[in-house]
């Protein structure tokens, strides 16, 4: 199990344990994290799984695909830390990763 | 007079035990005393076995336990979406993605998801606010209104027409169809209603095929599933679903919320004093006021909690019962704007079919509350009137007279 920390816009945090190989979007939806909806089920068609990756972890993630970059344009308040969480696959290296939920997603 | 209480109803299928049959249970003919359908469903739940059978409307099961509702919503290996309305084949036409199971469902859903992306919704916010301002300008000086017809139904139809790039004037034609769509008991009426909705959309779709414009209708018309354009009947069915899905549902949700506020002055005052509570209050209302009464069809014979279900059986899951179950939240009937987040509910479904319009509905409700409460902060049910609700494929608010000074 890998611990993933979701940081809510009000500063509170929720820690969720996830098996390796799961996507962060599915972990969040399963745990009922407000602001991560995953409407399209991970098909890069909705941008309702937008999150900010703590910069300390950014380099542990594979780069964005062109399709993810395109879909991210449909999210709000996109920054350099933005990712679509359905494209982040949980690996052992991500233990303790912190992901911020955008205020605009609530 | 014969009262054949002990006589078995000849319609009862042989695999259904007598003790699980509730005689005469007809979802289209339930009394709804306080215009509060979840309370009616709760009484039904308390009075009957957790999974019971009725012979009315073609015959179907009803599951009322919160845990069962959630399982049945998502377990598509046993509980298929191929039929999910009562009576069966209510629409008389395909309606992808809602009548498809995974994995086929996935590609169709991806075609409509972009219409509800955060940026797409943000672009609709102006339209919604403009419609709301116009509505409130019109009713505020009157000191009273019939909220369902004057406000609750007007907003979502205008939002749909706006999204689709269709003329606002068409609302007058579409609105009566929206009610029949969820409330007609007769198959012939529900299918004709659906066909009339589809007829309305047909030439609009043809026009977009020839000349794409910048709207959701064009996106869907020119969209592809697994690299292929949709066949005409599926395309028409999908567009009709988008039309039908967000009218009576949103309007009824708003109606139930305003019925509650009109009869609970302390809650109303709390929201007026602290509008920052509106987002949280919206979630709490979604929990307390589930709307949809869809079901599933059994893929194969399946024993579920000791009940033998048979392939082809329809099972209804009134999803409002999930949020008002003691096993899900404490004091479930109470509306409390300070519950621990996230507030659990099944009102928009769960799993792959969960409602794509949820964020839009949420936006419409929040903006309505914000605008209305800032302009008309005190209101009650108009003296001498009684709010009216019905139950059918949705819990539907029919009439709510409000008055204020
Ligand atoms: C308060 C308002 C609403 C409620 C309570 C609601 C409820 C639901 C529920 C419960 C489902 C899943 C049905 C099931 O699993 O059996 C659903 C699906 C759906 N809803 Fe909504 N809905 C609302 C608003 C909207 C709006 C505004 C739209 C669109 C404009 C919409 C379009 C749809 C569509 C297209 C589906 C099918 C999704 C799929 O099968 O993948 N709904 N809705
Ligand atoms: S879940 Fe739809 S884009 Fe990530």
């Amino acid at each position: 199990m890998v611990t993933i920390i979701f940081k809510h816009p009000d500063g509170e945090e929720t820690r969720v344990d996830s098996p390796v190989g799961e996507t962060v979007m599915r972990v969040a939806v399963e745990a009922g994290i407000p602001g991560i909806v995953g409407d399209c089920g991970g098909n890069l068609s909705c941008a309702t799984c937008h999150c900010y990756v703590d910069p300390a972890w950014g380099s542990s993630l594979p780069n964005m695909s062109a399709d993810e970059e395109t879909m991210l344009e449909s999210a709000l308040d996109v920054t350099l830390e933005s990712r679509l969480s359905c494209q982040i696959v949980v690996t052992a290296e991500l233990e303790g990763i912190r992901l911020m939920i955008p205020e605009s997603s609530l | 007079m014969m009262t054949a209480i002990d006589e078995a109803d000849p319609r009862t299928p042989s695999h259904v035990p007598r003790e699980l049959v509730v005689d005469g249970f007809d979802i289209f003919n339930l009394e709804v005393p306080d215009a509060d359908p979840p309370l009616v469903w709760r009484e039904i739940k308390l009075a009957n076995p957790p999974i019971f059978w009725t012979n009315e409307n073609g015959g179907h099961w009803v599951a009322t336990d919160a845990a069962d509702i959630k399982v049945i919503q998502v377990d598509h290996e046993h509980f298929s979406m191929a039929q999910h309305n009562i009576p069966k084949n209510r629409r008389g036409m395909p309606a992808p993605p809602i009548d498809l199971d995974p994995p086929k469902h996935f590609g169709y859903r991806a075609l409509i998801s972009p219409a509800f992306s955060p940026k797409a919704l943000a672009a609709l916010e102006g339209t919604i606010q403009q419609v709301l301002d116009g509505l409130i300008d019109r009713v505020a000086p009157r000191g009273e209104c019939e909220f369902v017809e004057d406000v609750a139904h007007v907003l979502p139809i205008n939002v749909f027409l706006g999204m689709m790039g269709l003329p606002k004037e068409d609302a007058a034609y579409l609105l009566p169809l929206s009610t029949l769509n969820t409330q007609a008991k007769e198959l012939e009426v529900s299918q004709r209603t659906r066909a009339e909705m589809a007829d309305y959309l047909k030439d609009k779709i043809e026009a977009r095929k020839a000349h794409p414009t910048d709207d959701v209708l064009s996106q869907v018309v020119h969209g592809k599933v697994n690299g292929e354009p949709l066949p005409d009947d599926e395309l028409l069915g999908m567009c009709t679903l988008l039309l039908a899905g967000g009218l009576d549902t949103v309007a009824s949700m708003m109606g139930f919320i305003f019925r509650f506020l009109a009869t609970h002055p302390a809650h109303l005052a709390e929201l007026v004093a602290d509008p920052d509570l509106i987002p949280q209050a919206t979630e709490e209302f979604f929990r307390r006021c589930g709307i949809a009464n869809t079901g599933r069809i059994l893929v194969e014979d399946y024993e579920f909690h000791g009940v033998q279900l048979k392939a082809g059986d329809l099972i209804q899951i009134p999803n409002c019962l999930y949020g008002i179950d003691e096993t899900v939240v404490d004091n479930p009937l109470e509306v409390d704007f300070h519950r621990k987040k996230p507030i659990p509910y099944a009102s928009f479904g769960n799993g792959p079919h969960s409602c794509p319009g949820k964020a839009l509905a949420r936006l419409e409700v929040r903006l309505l509350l914000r605008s209305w409460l800032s302009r008309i902060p005190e209101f009650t049910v108009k003296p001498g009137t009684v709010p009216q609700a019905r139950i059918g494929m949705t819990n539907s608010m029919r009439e709510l007279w409000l008055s204020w000074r």
Side-chain angles (χ1 to χ4, degrees), chain A residues 25 29 36-50 71-72 84-87, chain B residues 113:
Chain A
M25 180 277 283
V29 170
I36 296 196
V37 176
D39 192 70
C40 73
N43 203 5
L44 278 180
S45 312
C46 72
T48 64
C49 61
H50 177 203
M71 196 62 227
L72 199 51
L84 293 176
S85 61
C86 65
Q87 303 303 305
Chain B
S113 282

Side-chain angles (χ1 to χ4, degrees), chain B residues 105-288:
Chain B
H105 167 265
F106 196 58
Y108 288 81
R109 174 66 178 245
L111 191 50
I112 58 175
S113 282
F116 301 97
S117 77
K119 204 171 232 169
L121 293 190
L124 276 176
E125 207 169 317
T127 309
I128 299 174
Q129 192 61 53
Q130 200 186 351
V131 176
L132 274 173
D133 290 343
L135 285 173
I136 300 175
D137 283 346
R138 193 156 63 211
V139 299
R142 288 194 217 150
E144 63 172 48
C145 75
E146 199 286 279
F147 182 79
V148 177
E149 194 182 315
D150 291 346
V151 180
H153 268 106
V154 185
L155 180 62
I157 186 73
N158 276 286
V159 171
F160 171 81
L161 293 169
M163 269 177 95
M164 292 299 203
L166 297 170
K168 300 268 188 299
E169 302 74 57
D170 296 351
Y173 172 77
L174 294 169
L175 276 180
L177 298 178
S178 146
T179 299
L180 281 175
N181 178 55
T182 57
Q183 298 304 317
K185 174 181 161 72
E186 306 305 328
L187 199 57
E188 187 256 319
V189 181
S190 74
Q191 290 187 349
R192 174 159 34 87
T193 304
R194 200 76 181 190
E196 284 173 26
M197 286 181 162
D199 276 347
Y200 162 80
L201 287 167
K202 233 176 225 158
D203 39 319
K204 319 281 187 292
I205 291 174
E206 290 310 316
R208 295 299 191 281
K209 272 188 187 164
H211 304 285
T213 39
D214 184 21
D215 49 50
V216 171
L217 190 54
S218 296
Q219 285 160 27
V220 173
V221 167
H222 292 274
K224 291 190 173 146
V225 172
N226 306 324
E228 297 289 326
L230 291 189
D232 281 346
D233 62 332
E234 290 187 358
L235 180 58
L236 186 58
M238 179 182 269
C239 294
T240 313
L241 173 68
L242 283 173
L243 165 63
L247 299 184
D248 182 42
T249 47
V250 179
S252 293
M253 180 63 82
M254 289 173 169
F256 292 125
I257 293 172
F258 273 67
R259 185 210 69 100
F260 178 85
L261 291 173
T263 50
H264 293 78
H267 285 85
L268 175 59
E270 189 183 9
L271 275 195
V272 171
D274 185 1
D276 287 347
L277 279 176
I278 287 175
Q280 169 84 352
T282 301
E283 299 309 292
E284 175 67 347
F285 287 129
F286 285 173
R287 177 190 70 77
R288 177 60 178 74

Side-chain angles (χ1 to χ4, degrees), chain A:
Chain A
M1 285 290 178
V2 179
T3 303
I4 299 181
I5 305 170
F6 294 99
K7 187 170 180 193
H8 305 283
D10 64 5
E12 267 182 57
E13 292 186 347
T14 308
R15 306 170 78 89
V16 185
D17 285 334
S18 157
V20 167
E22 195 49 288
T23 70
V24 169
M25 180 277 283
R26 267 205 290 268
V27 173
V29 170
E30 199 52 42
I33 304 291
I36 296 196
V37 176
D39 192 70
C40 73
N43 203 5
L44 278 180
S45 312
C46 72
T48 64
C49 61
H50 177 203
C51 66
Y52 304 123
V53 179
D54 186 327
W57 294 92
S59 54
S60 331
L61 295 177
N63 287 337
M64 269 197 263
S65 66
D67 287 345
E68 183 178 347
E69 279 185 44
T70 307
M71 196 62 227
L72 199 51
E73 289 169 15
S74 293
L76 297 175
D77 302 336
V78 175
T79 71
L80 288 173
E81 274 96 54
S82 289
R83 289 296 300 258
L84 293 176
S85 61
C86 65
Q87 303 303 305
I88 305 176
V89 177
V90 176
T91 59
E93 292 76 65
L94 298 189
E95 172 60 34
I97 189 173
R98 186 176 270 104
L99 302 157
M100 275 75 81
I101 310 295
E103 170 109 61
S104 53
S105 300
L106 293 188

Side-chain angles (χ1 to χ4, degrees), chain B residues 227-378:
Chain B
E228 297 289 326
L230 291 189
D232 281 346
D233 62 332
E234 290 187 358
L235 180 58
L236 186 58
M238 179 182 269
C239 294
T240 313
L241 173 68
L242 283 173
L243 165 63
L247 299 184
D248 182 42
T249 47
V250 179
S252 293
M253 180 63 82
M254 289 173 169
F256 292 125
I257 293 172
F258 273 67
R259 185 210 69 100
F260 178 85
L261 291 173
T263 50
H264 293 78
H267 285 85
L268 175 59
E270 189 183 9
L271 275 195
V272 171
D274 185 1
D276 287 347
L277 279 176
I278 287 175
Q280 169 84 352
T282 301
E283 299 309 292
E284 175 67 347
F285 287 129
F286 285 173
R287 177 190 70 77
R288 177 60 178 74
C289 314
I291 304 286
N293 298 322
T294 48
R296 303 286 186 264
I297 189 164
L298 268 289
V299 173
E300 56 188 19
D301 293 2
Y302 182 46
E303 190 177 315
F304 187 64
H305 298 329
V307 179
Q308 183 61 57
L309 308 173
K310 247 184 122 57
D313 282 359
L314 207 56
I315 184 163
Q316 185 180 33
I317 40 173
N319 68 31
C320 64
L321 284 172
Y322 183 85
I324 57 165
D325 197 292
E326 276 84 2
T327 61
V328 172
V329 286
D330 296 332
N331 303 319
L333 295 180
E334 211 118 298
V335 171
D336 173 358
F337 300 149
H338 306 279
R339 282 188 195 271
K340 193 171 139 291
K341 288 184 254 188
I343 298 176
Y345 50 78
S347 312
F348 290 88
N350 272 298
H353 284 278
S354 61
C355 181
K358 174 175 165 179
L360 174 58
R362 179 188 279 141
L363 180 64
E364 293 182 55
V365 168
R366 284 183 187 176
L367 291 176
L368 168 66
L369 285 170
R370 198 168 280 277
S371 304
W372 183 286
L373 299 184
S374 70
R375 304 267 307 269
I376 307 176
E378 282 179 42

